[in-house]
Amino acid sequence: MRNNLESVFDIFKERGFVEQVTDETGVRDLLEEPTTCYIGFDPTASSFHLGSLVPIMSLAHMQRAGHRPIALVGGGTTLVGDPSGKTELRPIMKREEIDKNAQGLREQLSRFLDFENGKAIMANNADWLTKLNYIEFLRDFGRFFSVNRMLSAESYKERFKTGLNFIEFNYMLLQAYDFWHLFKHYDCRLQMGGNDQWGNILAGVDLTRRLEGEAIHCITFPLFTTSSGIKMGKTHKGSVWLDSEKTSPFDYYQYWINQDDKDIERFLAIFTFLPMNEVKKLGALQGADIRHAKEVLAYEATKLCHGKAEAEKAKLAAHQLFGTDAEELSESVPKHPLGADELEPGVPAYILFEKMGLCKSRGEARRLIKQGGGYINDHRIETFDQIIDTKDMMNDSILLRGGKKRYLRIILQ
RNA sequence: GGAGAGGUACCCGAGAGGUCAAAGGGAGCAGACUGUAAAUCUGCCGGCUCAGCCUUCGGAGGUUCGAAUCCUCCCCUCUCCA
């Protein structure tokens, strides 16, 4: 245990988690003893998406090393909206919606963290922020914040171009208050977060020093983009979610498989727990062999998020769909039910593609098929209005495919 | 409160009465090439009952044979002044 404790910071460094630290030696010293740390998550949706995976992994590393992570759901701060790095005002959400989302996040976090016996803690800042009294808050805390300094914060830069609303300007104070609050009540001395949070986190460090005369710390993570500069976890379908209802384990697996060669080693280090020597070995693979590294990445990442069984299924499905002999098709291909009475009279292919959600509109489906990207049971569909009916059934199902990678199996009901 | 600038498709951004479903770029999609990668090339990229029709240029009205383009009112954003 002792050894583990000493090494967490090194693990972070080695695996590429660290962008900035308040005080490296200070943090190292701190982490020699079991420490409570926290990361805030915004409950703007009922599921995490991939963007939150870096912080989640970091909390998991902390816990494995014997520290105590707090996952703070920003039920209160979301009522205000964080302007950091954003280009526009975020829509302000309703209280009930936020509470509902927080519930969903709680469940997902428990796949990565062990909340038994207080080994990890879940908190919601709505519990204290919504009770604040404006005048008292200004007198007791507001006076410690220098507007001049806040104005120079990097996180507001983007917003000065278009205008920063006062409500958002307050976000920093609230996040600072959170850190102080968690320090007071949980002896939390370390906050982590994406590098866009640097300014907000430092505000909390400063506030606590002024109020309590205590040094607390912060580590920020690099903001992950793919090699092509796109934000992680975004695809044409929108975000990649950790919720299997929103992003199937198969699609999740495929997301990782399809990453750029250049990203694989970095991602293995961040998004899996594989030992670093193995990560390096996989990262050193060249040419087509990198596919193996991608497979490991996809498998490990899927296993962490959806469990071993789902990861196996996704891997098998991928082999069968993309491997040389695509004979038996796996269970993991997303399935869609369709009433027998609907298929019986025959449905034009483009309508079927739209109905099954493979295309957003019928026009898009027409286009797809006209361009040669529509397949049924692995045969290219020749005309967009080709009639599909029960004769196209193979083993009680029909396999549709859009382009090279989007598969869908119709199950007749 | 005053003065000015501006709101165009996922994003950026041209258009200034008909030839505008709206240039160009980015993102995205498909095809070819490949390794389910990258790069490249080609095509697509509002909706539909698709060689035609319908609905779009902040919102509501109006002028006109005809409006993203002109007029009126409203909403929103930015800049400068108070």
Side-chain angles (χ1 to χ4, degrees), chain A residues 30 126 138 192 199 211 218 235 242-243 260:
Chain A
L30 182 66
L138 289 179
M192 303 185 290
L211 282 168
C218 132
T235 67
L242 303 196
D243 182 346
D260 194 314

Side-chain angles (χ1 to χ4, degrees), chain A residues 173-375:
Chain A
L173 308 217
L174 296 180
Q175 189 167 334
Y177 182 88
D178 280 345
F179 199 179
W180 170 80
H181 180 94
L182 292 173
F183 168 77
K184 286 296 272 188
H185 293 81
Y186 296 93
D187 193 34
C188 173
R189 288 165 183 271
L190 177 68
Q191 182 178 175
M192 303 185 290
N195 200 239
D196 56 339
Q197 295 300 309
W198 179 248
N200 291 340
I201 299 176
L202 280 190
V205 171
D206 281 344
L207 178 66
T208 306
R209 194 189 57 244
R210 290 175 192 212
L211 282 168
E212 312 294 337
E214 292 266 7
I216 57 177
H217 294 281
C218 132
I219 300 174
T220 58
F221 313 125
L223 291 179
F224 272 77
T225 51
T226 60
S227 285
S228 38
I230 302 161
K231 219 181 257 175
M232 283 265 344
K234 300 285 176 190
T235 67
H236 71 283
K237 284 183 189 165
S239 301
V240 175
W241 303 94
L242 303 196
D243 182 346
S244 58
E245 294 290 308
K246 292 186 169 182
T247 300
S248 72
F250 176 75
D251 286 338
Y252 191 80
Y253 181 92
Q254 286 298 321
Y255 175 80
W256 293 107
I257 282 280
N258 284 311
Q259 291 305 316
D260 194 314
D261 289 3
K262 288 178 288 219
D263 290 323
I264 301 306
E265 183 169 341
R266 249 164 92 218
F267 288 179
L268 279 165
I270 296 277
F271 298 110
T272 75
F273 288 111
L274 292 179
M276 276 311 280
N277 54 7
E278 202 167 323
V279 169
K280 292 215 173 89
K281 224 188 298 171
L282 287 166
L285 293 174
Q286 290 298 318
D289 291 338
I290 291 180
R291 273 179 303 166
H292 176 241
K294 290 185 180 182
E295 212 163 71
V296 174
L297 171 65
Y299 177 79
E300 291 295 326
T302 308
K303 191 171 87 179
L304 281 173
C305 187
H306 298 295
K308 193 170 177 178
E310 289 296 336
E312 296 283 359
K313 267 164 71 180
K315 186 176 177 179
L316 186 66
H319 271 287
Q320 288 169 338
L321 291 173
F322 296 102
T324 42
D325 43 20
E327 285 298 309
E328 277 287 302
L329 286 166
S330 159
E331 290 293 292
S332 296
V333 176
K335 289 185 204 113
H336 249 80
L338 182 69
D341 50 320
E342 288 190 71
L343 192 63
E344 204 73 55
V347 186
Y350 72 104
I351 293 179
L352 193 63
F353 269 66
E354 186 270 342
K355 200 187 206 82
M356 294 293 102
L358 231 32
C359 295
K360 284 200 275 293
S361 68
R362 293 180 179 183
E364 187 181 311
R366 274 166 186 266
R367 233 176 281 131
L368 177 77
I369 298 170
K370 278 180 185 165
Q371 291 178 134
Y375 299 80

Side-chain angles (χ1 to χ4, degrees), chain A residues 1 8 33 50 52 59 93 113 124 129 145 179 183 214 253 262 274 292-293 311 321 329 334 339 381 400 409:
Chain A
M1 195 53 125
V8 204
E33 298 298 324
L50 272 188
S52 301
L59 287 183
M93 299 178 70
L113 296 173
N124 184 341
L129 291 182
F145 292 84
F179 199 179
F183 168 77
E214 292 266 7
Y253 181 92
K262 288 178 288 219
L274 292 179
H292 176 241
L321 291 173
L329 286 166
I381 301 173
L400 294 184
R409 179 183 292 285

Side-chain angles (χ1 to χ4, degrees), chain A residues 116-136:
Chain A
E116 292 294 304
N117 308 318
K119 276 185 273 183
I121 296 170
M122 191 87 195
N124 184 341
N125 63 15
D127 293 344
W128 54 85
L129 291 182
T130 53
K131 296 195 180 92
L132 288 175
N133 171 295
Y134 192 56
I135 300 296
E136 275 175 27

